[in-house]
Amino acid sequence: MPSAIHALTDRITGPIERLGDGWLLGLLGRLIFAGVLLMYFLNSAFTKFDGGPFSVSDAAYFQIIPPIVEAAGYDASAVPFFPWGLVVLLGTYGEVILPILLVLGLFTRLSALGMLIFIGVQSYVDIAFHGADAATVGVWFDNLSNAAIVDQRAFWAFLFVHLAIKGGGAVSIDGLIRRRLAARADEEPVSYGAA
């Protein structure tokens, strides 16, 4: 009986799987990211700039590394560039660049991997430096699904893991580049040695 159920399921879902293979999940993942998280990350990033895209504000230091700024007497300019200023620069620009690359499907795997690292660091900062309480952190395998860190960011991480492994799909800039490179490789004459 189980084999008959599996065979029936395969007959129903097989054509759907083949129809969406190679393009649907990457595109859908990027669209869902754009609809749910893109503006969250961009709005957060824009609070860290001071008037222009090349001027990271003191607010970025207070948001990303509050105890380091506190140790520097609340003077962001007194925070050493290495490693803390570099962390702030990478975090601030990463929060702008990585989401845009993901939505476009350009360097999707690297961007998704960068976003995984970003949300790991973001979660650590929220817990260690901003004092997120137990309800905000949450716990797995309870009857609640609304914790901002453990519950929500697990779904974010799953999305980024999928995009890091599978890429942006055929309907992405990566897919376009891949097709053009493959077409160019097919056009080049094969050389079997020096003439």
Side-chain angles (χ1 to χ4, degrees):
M1 183 67 164
S3 62
I5 293 171
H6 282 105
L8 176 63
T9 303
D10 289 345
R11 273 194 304 255
I12 294 169
T13 60
I16 297 168
E17 182 179 357
R18 285 187 294 280
L19 179 66
D21 193 34
W23 69 275
L24 181 62
L25 292 179
L27 176 62
L28 194 57
R30 292 182 4 258
L31 286 174
I32 289 171
F33 173 80
V36 176
L37 292 172
L38 176 64
M39 293 313 296
Y40 165 82
F41 284 109
L42 292 180
N43 285 333
S44 175
F46 293 144
T47 66
K48 296 176 178 84
F49 289 104
D50 196 17
F54 301 109
S55 178
V56 174
S57 71
D58 289 352
Y61 287 82
F62 285 98
Q63 290 178 46
I64 298 173
I65 52 169
I68 306 302
V69 179
E70 181 181 351
Y74 296 100
D75 180 8
S77 65
V79 173
F81 178 76
F82 188 80
W84 303 114
L86 183 62
V87 167
V88 170
L89 283 177
L90 291 175
T92 301
Y93 286 107
E95 200 169 20
V96 174
I97 295 167
L98 295 174
I100 290 170
L101 290 175
L102 266 182
V103 170
L104 294 174
L106 179 61
F107 306 116
T108 307
R109 287 183 169 102
L110 289 174
S111 300
L113 186 59
M115 288 303 297
L116 273 169
I117 294 167
F118 185 91
I119 63 167
V121 171
Q122 177 189 30
S123 298
Y124 173 76
V125 166
D126 287 345
I127 294 167
F129 298 153
H130 294 295
D133 63 7
T136 303
V137 174
V139 205
W140 274 2
F141 308 110
D142 61 3
N143 64 337
L144 304 172
S145 62
N146 61 345
I149 296 178
V150 171
D151 295 332
Q152 289 180 12
R153 292 182 190 169
F155 283 108
W156 300 3
F158 178 76
L159 175 63
F160 298 139
V161 165
H162 172 79
L163 290 170
I165 292 171
K166 298 295 276 182
V171 184
S172 66
I173 294 176
D174 290 336
L176 177 66
I177 292 170
R178 201 170 288 112
R179 286 189 300 280
R180 290 215 175 157
L181 290 174
R184 190 177 307 159
D186 289 344
E187 293 172 2
E188 291 179 7
V190 177
S191 174
Y192 294 103

